[in-house]
Amino acid sequence: MSRYYTFTAKDAVEYARQFGGVADPQSLVTADEIGDGNLNLVFKIRDTAGISRVIVKQALPYVRCVGESWPLTLDRARIEAETLIIHGQYCPQHTVTVLHHDAELAVMVQEDLSDHHIWRSELVQGKYYPEACAQLGEYLAQTLFHTSDFFQNAQTKKAEVSRFTNPELCQITEDLFFTDPYVDHERNNFDAILQPEVDALRADKPLRLAVAALKHRFLSKAEALLHGDIHSGSIFVAEGKLKAIDAEFGYYGPVGFDPGSAMGNLLLNYCGLPGLVGVREAADGREQRLKDVRELWLSFSERFLQLARDKSQDPTLAEPGYAEAFLQEVWHDAVGYCGAELIRRTIGLAHVADLDTIKEAAMRADCQRHALSLGQKLILTAQQIGDVESLIARIRQFS
């Protein structure tokens, strides 16, 4: 018989007292439910002084914004906790700390990050964190290298692929990234003014073929343990600090997916800036986003190559030049997944504040058109874009 029950605020406080690891557990007295996502309850647990001390997160057995008509497995909470624990082993400085988790209750206790801010909100407000992209590149390199065939024993990795099989959450990604935007689906969400662009996108046969290839690689390439949903809303930043959170989409997939998703979110902000801030500030911000894309990729790829040179365990994969060749494939994948992120966040189910909070309707539509067009062109030309400098040149050309 299952022990699962849905937590109330009182339950979350009691759980934090037991498993939060605070020196004075009875000082924990209140909980605020702050979850703004679609999948979980998230409680800030506060002490008698009103200070948030730990976070209690519990998975719901359905998609929150839809209800019980869209059920989901609770095993995703185990996958999220164990993904974060493994990522934390290899990159503790940039992974939220899991203090405790219980698979049956689908609950975990995490460190409190109240001194951090959600990166997307900061980007939308035009705030810049100069170390964030290098830190994110470090996180991606450490986590993806150490869970790949370069480092993991082949037998261990095969067992880990099985352990992190995540079919229901992967199905969401497969649908929202690669299927829904390219058909007339009830989950899609866009202003009617974009209908001509959406119709043209769906009628673009070369685009649909390229998206099919991206989806097939997502389905079949078990290359490393991905975060699986690494966007600017699943990253906390502070001065000199960055932490990845929300890894319930974790699974073994193509290495290019995580950096591609991250770059896509930087470019969503790039597309939205003209509608979010003043003309001069937007121009400066867009230049900074292009520098951020460069910094992210170079930080990731250079660290990955260094790790491959220093720590590769498989003697065949350690052959000089192979890691460079592998990363070139990863790069092409990343550019394609970046384009898919731009499209799905514009006309699919899950939108972003970088575009949706633009107040003036005509400007919002122009920024959304730009995101769609840029995403389409990046997917179509991904195999011809050889490096990050060429990507930035293409973005300038497409803008």
Side-chain angles (χ1 to χ4, degrees), residues 14-293:
E14 182 57 35
Y15 202 81
R17 287 174 177 171
Q18 294 182 61
F19 301 110
V22 298
D24 49 347
Q26 293 308 310
S27 71
L28 303 178
V29 293
T30 62
D32 299 331
E33 207 284 296
I34 60 167
D36 60 356
N38 290 324
L39 304 178
N40 308 289
L41 296 171
V42 182
F43 297 94
K44 270 182 176 286
I45 311 300
R46 300 185 185 275
D47 63 17
T48 53
I51 298 171
S52 182
R53 301 283 294 277
V54 294
I55 300 296
V56 173
K57 180 176 182 179
Q58 186 183 41
L60 292 168
Y62 51 81
V63 176
R64 194 172 183 180
C65 67
V66 176
E68 295 182 9
S69 64
W70 190 346
L72 283 177
T73 177
L74 293 173
D75 189 50
R76 72 183 192 274
R78 174 194 64 82
I79 288 174
E80 176 179 13
E82 293 180 0
T83 298
L84 290 171
I85 289 168
I86 289 174
H87 283 190
Q89 290 174 2
Y90 297 116
C91 196
Q93 70 273 33
H94 300 314
T95 309
V96 66
T97 301
V98 176
L99 302 169
H100 170 83
H101 79 99
D102 184 312
E104 270 198 274
L105 289 175
V107 67
M108 76 178 86
V109 185
Q110 300 178 348
E111 67 172 313
D112 181 76
L113 294 173
S114 293
D115 60 336
H116 290 58
H117 306 280
I118 296 174
W119 197 17
R120 188 185 309 284
S121 300
E122 301 295 278
L123 288 169
V124 167
Q125 295 175 44
K127 296 180 181 178
Y128 176 53
Y129 291 80
E131 299 176 52
C133 286
Q135 292 169 335
L136 179 55
E138 175 76 7
Y139 165 79
L140 293 173
Q142 294 286 354
T143 58
L144 295 172
F145 171 81
H146 283 103
T147 59
S148 75
D149 290 298
F150 286 90
F151 183 78
Q152 279 195 321
N153 171 275
Q155 297 306 313
T156 298
K157 178 168 174 284
K158 289 178 174 65
E160 290 292 271
V161 170
S162 176
R163 174 185 168 198
F164 285 97
T165 297
N166 196 358
E168 287 191 329
L169 275 293
C170 284
Q171 181 72 55
I172 292 174
T173 301
E174 292 150 16
D175 290 343
L176 299 190
F177 262 86
F178 309 115
T179 301
D180 291 1
Y182 306 95
V183 297
D184 184 12
H185 198 285
E186 63 183 6
R187 283 192 295 256
N188 291 328
N189 174 27
F190 57 88
D191 292 334
I193 195 171
L194 295 179
Q195 191 67 55
E197 286 77 16
V198 173
D199 289 343
L201 180 144
R202 292 174 179 167
D204 189 331
K205 179 68 171 177
L207 177 68
R208 293 171 66 95
L209 286 172
V211 171
L214 287 170
K215 182 174 184 177
H216 195 195
R217 292 197 287 278
F218 185 86
L219 291 167
S220 60
K221 278 189 171 184
E223 293 178 337
L225 179 57
L226 308 185
H227 178 285
D229 195 27
I230 192 74
H231 54 78
S232 56
S234 60
I235 296 169
F236 272 97
V237 292
E239 194 65 38
K241 301 177 184 178
L242 177 142
K243 292 267 189 174
I245 64 168
D246 290 352
E248 57 257 79
F249 285 81
Y251 95 114
Y252 271 77
V255 167
F257 186 78
D258 275 1
S261 296
M263 291 193 301
N265 277 262
L266 291 170
L267 292 181
L268 284 162
N269 186 257
Y270 172 90
C271 292
L273 277 172
L276 294 169
V277 296
V279 174
R280 182 178 295 276
E281 191 177 359
D284 291 344
R286 293 179 93 182
E287 285 301 308
Q288 187 57 59
R289 288 300 84 75
L290 296 181
K291 293 177 183 177
D292 291 343
V293 169

